[in-house]
Amino acid sequence: MKAFNWQEAFGERASRIRASTIRELLKLTQRPGILSFAGGLPAPELFPKEEAAEKAAAILKAKGEVALQYGPTEGYFPLRAFVAEWIGVRPEEVLITTGSQQALDLLGKVFLDEGSPVLLEAPSYMGAIQALRPFGPRFLTVPAGEEGPDLDALEEVLQRERPRFLYLIPSFQNPSGGLMPLRARERLLELVMERGLVVVEDDAYRELYFGERRLPSLFELSREAGYPGVIYLGSFSKVLSPGLRVAFAVAHPEALQKLTQAKQGSDLHTPMLNQMLVHELAKEGFPERLERIRRVYREKAEAMLQALDREMPQGVRYTRPQGGMFVWMTLPEGLSAEALFQRAIEENVAFVPGSPFFANGGGENTLRLSYATLNPEGIAEGMRRLGRALKGLLALV
């Protein structure tokens, strides 16, 4: 019998599928005593555990035959109607997805061919890079910072390339925490409208602002301008529960129809019980819930920034987020975040090195810290440990 070889059996696309760096790192952070700033995990104390248990039981008792049955691919209509009112569209423009990660996969199926150009920020969301890479795109990147992508660099790219779409996180970007100012959003939209390009706006952190109000999304600005080319992604993961895996895509009906057809071949529909539970949790007291979440994350962000100011040595730069869940750190040139990670683990503290957030390489001296999960005391201790690890690394240079 010939020796069996799985590598010979896999298709070419399988070679592009890679393990999530964050998921692999999280395995290292499960040991006792680790203070982890690695995963972008929402604060567990904000999960509506008791309320979810009561409402799930009520749903199963009153509408179990619906909750446990197959459902429409587009999603549970009352939830679609809730999203439509929240975002300011019609229910017919909303597709419920099994997490935003599924929406990214569907976009790859619908828009990308082998070698298709896709424009991303550098750094960009690691999960988007991971979801799109198997489709064989050619990643185009532009630098991004605390005020979003470099629009001069973006315009230069658009003068020589026509990407299938631009993938952006304008509000509290993952990983940089950047926030595009209103004028930058307007200019970006002008550049896109001149060329008739598709924009995918990932707005998972839209409600996690620390100021008095939320900036209008690219999607909202595009609708005001009469431009149909912005596809909007949103999620309940950061405001209710990531484990329920309920998110949504909002798009022009022609684009939404094709995304829906792609979802039919993926999972038929997002679990009905999960959708119904999200709807029950969100339809009452949602604004008050969002305000509490903003207050908790604002306090945690302040705790991290104060600790960083105390503990970090000269030459280290880090963002001061106005919302979201992340601080982005840049080490002095020549220092490796991977090397710092190894020393940090010895101090029982963890983070995510920045290089996986760069689709075309780079960022070896950058890293992402999430303040969402730990309490202020844990954050302060974690930054002390990170400061010790970093000072120890600097002593070797």
Side-chain angles (χ1 to χ4, degrees), residues 5 39 79 107 117 178 199 243 384:
N5 187 329
L79 181 59
L107 287 162
V199 174
R384 277 193 289 272

Side-chain angles (χ1 to χ4, degrees), residues 108-221:
K109 290 178 179 177
V110 168
F111 285 97
L112 300 183
D113 301 312
E114 186 75 25
S116 297
V118 177
L119 184 57
L120 305 177
E121 299 164 286
S124 185
Y125 171 47
M126 187 192 306
I129 298 170
Q130 186 183 25
L132 300 177
R133 196 183 294 279
F135 298 100
R138 181 164 53 91
F139 289 122
L140 312 171
T141 61
V142 295
E146 286 201 70
E147 294 195 344
D150 182 328
L151 294 185
D152 291 335
L154 187 145
E155 184 172 15
E156 184 178 328
V157 171
L158 295 183
Q159 287 173 352
R160 64 176 188 271
E161 298 272 6
R162 184 177 177 82
R164 289 291 176 88
F165 60 78
L166 289 66
Y167 171 79
L168 302 166
I169 308 177
S171 295
F172 320 122
Q173 198 237 29
N174 182 358
S176 73
L179 175 65
M180 283 186 74
L182 178 59
R183 181 66 195 107
R185 295 171 188 238
E186 292 169 342
R187 183 184 170 199
L188 173 67
L189 195 57
E190 290 169 2
L191 293 173
V192 168
M193 291 171 61
E194 287 173 4
R195 295 163 174 81
L197 300 177
V198 174
V199 174
V200 176
E201 179 181 19
D202 191 340
D203 209 12
Y205 308 95
R206 64 171 273 149
E207 298 293 347
L208 305 187
Y209 54 89
F210 299 157
E212 293 184 359
R213 62 186 180 87
R214 180 181 62 83
L215 285 179
S217 65
L218 289 173
F219 179 81
E220 289 167 320
L221 295 173

Side-chain angles (χ1 to χ4, degrees), residues 61-387:
K61 184 175 181 180
K63 300 181 180 179
E65 70 283 358
V66 177
L68 300 178
Q69 185 57 279
Y70 287 115
T73 302
E74 293 84 353
Y76 179 55
F77 187 81
L79 181 59
R80 293 171 68 204
F82 176 88
V83 170
E85 183 176 357
W86 184 22
I87 305 302
V89 296
R90 294 176 292 115
E92 293 75 19
E93 298 174 281
V94 177
L95 170 66
I96 302 299
T97 62
T98 308
S100 289
Q101 202 66 23
Q102 182 185 56
L104 293 167
D105 180 68
L106 299 179
L107 287 162
K109 290 178 179 177
V110 168
F111 285 97
L112 300 183
D113 301 312
E114 186 75 25
S116 297
V118 177
L119 184 57
L120 305 177
E121 299 164 286
S124 185
Y125 171 47
M126 187 192 306
I129 298 170
Q130 186 183 25
L132 300 177
R133 196 183 294 279
F135 298 100
R138 181 164 53 91
F139 289 122
L140 312 171
T141 61
V142 295
E146 286 201 70
E147 294 195 344
D150 182 328
L151 294 185
D152 291 335
L154 187 145
E155 184 172 15
E156 184 178 328
V157 171
L158 295 183
Q159 287 173 352
R160 64 176 188 271
E161 298 272 6
R162 184 177 177 82
R164 289 291 176 88
F165 60 78
L166 289 66
Y167 171 79
L168 302 166
I169 308 177
S171 295
F172 320 122
Q173 198 237 29
N174 182 358
S176 73
L179 175 65
M180 283 186 74
L182 178 59
R183 181 66 195 107
R185 295 171 188 238
E186 292 169 342
R187 183 184 170 199
L188 173 67
L189 195 57
E190 290 169 2
L191 293 173
V192 168
M193 291 171 61
E194 287 173 4
R195 295 163 174 81
L197 300 177
V198 174
V199 174
V200 176
E201 179 181 19
D202 191 340
D203 209 12
Y205 308 95
R206 64 171 273 149
E207 298 293 347
L208 305 187
Y209 54 89
F210 299 157
E212 293 184 359
R213 62 186 180 87
R214 180 181 62 83
L215 285 179
S217 65
L218 289 173
F219 179 81
E220 289 167 320
L221 295 173
S222 72
R223 288 297 175 99
E224 291 174 5
Y227 185 67
V230 177
I231 297 173
Y232 185 85
L233 307 184
S235 174
F236 289 96
S237 289
K238 309 303 184 291
V239 295
L240 283 177
S241 158
L244 291 175
R245 310 306 302 134
V246 176
F248 53 90
V250 180
H252 183 275
E254 192 170 352
L256 201 74
Q257 180 184 35
K258 192 58 66 175
L259 292 170
T260 302
Q261 291 169 352
K263 181 173 168 63
Q264 289 171 352
S266 177
D267 67 351
L268 297 182
H269 64 87
T270 299
M272 287 294 289
L273 175 59
N274 296 27
Q275 294 186 69
M276 295 171 76
L277 178 55
V278 165
H279 179 246
E280 289 298 318
L281 290 170
K283 70 181 185 180
E284 295 178 359
F286 199 50
E288 293 78 13
R289 186 188 302 275
L290 295 177
E291 180 52 44
R292 181 183 176 225
I293 292 170
R294 284 192 283 269
R295 183 177 67 254
V296 168
Y297 285 150
R298 187 186 303 115
E299 292 171 355
K300 293 186 178 200
E302 290 172 354
M304 176 168 280
L305 292 173
Q306 290 169 8
L308 287 170
D309 290 344
R310 288 193 305 269
E311 306 294 342
M312 290 302 110
Q314 290 289 326
V316 175
R317 293 181 287 115
Y318 41 89
T319 57
R320 308 191 79 86
Q322 301 176 57
M325 298 168 59
F326 306 108
V327 169
W328 182 248
M329 181 180 290
T330 304
L331 304 176
E333 285 296 331
L335 284 190
S336 163
E338 293 280 356
L340 177 60
F341 179 81
Q342 297 305 321
R343 295 188 71 93
I345 286 293
E346 294 175 4
E347 295 279 357
N348 278 338
V349 63
F351 58 83
V352 179
S355 56
F357 296 99
F358 292 79
N360 292 326
E364 288 81 5
N365 68 325
T366 62
L367 58 102
R368 191 192 75 178
L369 299 165
S370 173
Y371 46 78
T373 307
L374 297 179
N375 61 28
E377 294 74 23
I379 291 171
E381 175 59 26
M383 293 306 97
R384 277 193 289 272
R385 297 180 188 182
L386 182 61

Side-chain angles (χ1 to χ4, degrees), residues 18-74:
R18 305 176 186 176
S20 165
T21 300
I22 294 178
R23 295 290 155 190
E24 294 302 306
L25 287 177
L26 287 177
K27 295 177 185 178
L28 296 175
T29 65
Q30 297 304 306
R31 71 188 195 197
I34 286 276
L35 294 176
S36 178
F37 302 91
L41 308 178
E45 69 267 24
L46 294 172
F47 295 161
K49 298 185 289 293
E50 292 79 10
E51 189 180 356
E54 294 173 1
K55 290 187 179 299
I59 290 168
L60 289 170
K61 184 175 181 180
K63 300 181 180 179
E65 70 283 358
V66 177
L68 300 178
Q69 185 57 279
Y70 287 115
T73 302
E74 293 84 353

